Amino acid sequence: MQRVIMRAGWTIVGLLAAGAMTVVGLNLWVVMATHDRIATSPLTCQSREVGIVFGTSHGLVGGGSNPHYQARLDTAAQLYRLRRVSNLLLSGDNRTRYYNEPMTMWRDLRARNVPQEFMTLDYAGFSTFDTLVRAHKVFGVDEAVLVTQPWHLPRALFIADALGLEAVGCPAISERQPPGLKLMLREWLARAATVGDLYLWGRKPRFLGPQESLPTPVLSSHSSSQPSPSHPSASHSSGKHVMSPREGSVTDGAGQQAAPNRDVADGVEVADGVDMTDEENAADTPDPHALARQAQASLLASLPEVKQALLQWLPVRSDTN
């Protein structure tokens, strides 16, 4: 009897060791296949027509703001200021009318002076996989820069490769809350599961829906005739329609589905509604002097972020990956 127990024990140990080695091997595959396309900081991110911003909860379970969420929006706003993207595709979970990640991102990016015409909302980005499948198949995105944390980018880029979406990674660095052991363990397991999703059991998106079109790129004329950040109607000049949060979900009923657990759920906070300011009813024709002042203010606003990004990568840092 004792011999049987010992044999069973060794069998279990062997299976656990084999499982751990498999997880490590799959993680090495995911990281090595994508590491050369991840920028070292937002200042070195490549330019693409579309920037995909992955949703996460605005607040932490224990209270307070989610630093990973704030870092993603700061990076997305910086890409706009640096003229690296033409459109920001905000993709996240809209599990109920009271929890709406894309609308919350839209509201907070508007507070960061990103104009409405630069943003498109995807309400059915329930996971990293769903976000990228819908970006490629629903919104017709073929090339994109992915905006999320450095530890999340390898998995996102690996999925994009499998879907045929040419992507590069732009890291959103969360200085106030670096990834802990629990978070990294979940990410390692998620990377291994992603390989199975893509090559073994053929995962499908939770909700695909009809095709949508992104607005015509506007950065090409941005330097000469920059639209006012508080002017939402400028997006209609090209004949393309930009969906605003007031108009409801991009996919009919998609945002009202019960959502699964997120890939990396840092907490839950109910998102409030989006109230537009009176400035968004401004005249259609921007004032050239106002545009000059606006460009100067945008440059000045970006200087602290430039300084912070440079300090992050000085040799004196001890936590540089």
Side-chain angles (χ1 to χ4, degrees):
M1 183 65 180
Q2 184 177 3
R3 182 177 299 177
V4 174
I5 295 176
M6 290 184 61
R7 183 177 300 174
W10 282 112
T11 301
I12 295 174
V13 171
L15 291 174
L16 291 175
M21 292 178 62
T22 300
V23 170
V24 172
L26 293 176
N27 270 266
L28 288 175
W29 179 18
V30 171
V31 172
M32 294 303 295
T34 59
H35 76 281
D36 59 340
R37 285 174 288 140
I38 299 177
T40 56
S41 78
L43 293 176
T44 60
C45 293
Q46 299 182 34
S47 299
R48 291 292 187 273
E49 291 291 349
V50 179
I52 301 176
V53 187
F54 293 86
T56 188
S57 60
H58 177 272
L60 297 172
V61 174
S65 178
N66 182 356
H68 301 320
Y69 169 87
Q70 298 297 340
R72 294 181 193 185
L73 295 199
D74 288 341
T75 302
Q78 189 171 30
L79 287 178
Y80 157 71
R81 286 194 293 268
L82 294 174
R83 311 297 186 257
R84 300 289 171 82
V85 295
S86 295
N87 297 289
L88 290 173
L89 179 57
L90 312 180
S91 180
D93 184 352
N94 180 202
R95 67 183 68 179
T96 70
R97 62 181 299 184
Y98 302 107
Y99 185 80
N100 193 325
E101 290 175 353
M103 183 182 293
T104 306
M105 288 192 289
W106 183 91
R107 178 199 63 191
D108 291 343
L109 282 171
R110 292 288 289 114
R112 288 168 168 82
N113 296 320
V114 177
Q116 174 175 305
E117 59 267 23
F118 283 84
M119 296 184 283
T120 303
L121 279 63
D122 176 16
Y123 295 86
F126 298 123
S127 67
T128 302
F129 178 82
D130 287 64
T131 288
L132 292 169
V133 171
R134 286 178 52 80
H136 187 48
K137 294 188 176 181
V138 175
F139 292 94
V141 177
D142 294 320
E143 297 182 357
V145 54
L146 310 184
V147 180
T148 185
Q149 272 64 43
W151 39 262
H152 185 205
L153 279 171
R155 176 160 57 97
L157 288 169
F158 192 81
I159 295 172
D161 289 346
L163 298 174
L165 197 165
E166 183 180 336
V168 294
C170 188
I173 302 171
S174 312
E175 283 295 320
R176 291 197 298 111
Q177 184 172 329
L181 178 61
K182 181 179 179 181
L183 184 59
M184 289 307 302
L185 178 60
R186 291 176 62 184
E187 184 59 28
W188 273 55
L189 294 175
R191 291 173 187 167
T194 292
V195 176
D197 289 340
L198 297 174
Y199 299 109
L200 295 179
W201 40 82
R203 179 177 176 179
K204 302 296 182 182
R206 180 168 292 266
F207 184 88
L208 199 58
Q211 289 189 341
E212 302 283 343
S213 60
L214 291 175
T216 301
V218 290
L219 283 184
S220 57
S221 60
H222 196 56
S223 59
S224 60
S225 59
Q226 179 180 1
S228 171
S230 61
H231 174 44
S233 63
S235 60
H236 299 284
S237 60
S238 62
K240 298 272 188 172
H241 177 64
V242 179
M243 182 77 72
S244 83
R246 281 186 169 184
E247 299 178 67
S249 175
V250 171
T251 55
D252 294 339
Q256 304 303 324
Q257 297 181 7
N261 293 330
R262 293 199 59 81
D263 294 309
V264 181
D266 300 304
V268 174
E269 176 178 310
V270 173
D272 55 4
V274 177
D275 295 325
M276 307 297 291
T277 64
D278 293 336
E279 294 179 356
E280 292 172 353
N281 295 318
D284 289 351
T285 304
D287 179 19
H289 299 288
L291 291 179
R293 292 193 298 270
Q294 187 180 93
Q296 182 181 15
S298 177
L299 177 62
L300 293 175
S302 65
L303 290 179
E305 296 182 14
V306 173
K307 179 181 178 182
Q308 181 181 4
L310 292 175
L311 290 176
Q312 291 171 0
W313 302 104
L314 288 176
V316 297
R317 286 183 55 84
S318 61
D319 57 344
T320 303
N321 292 327

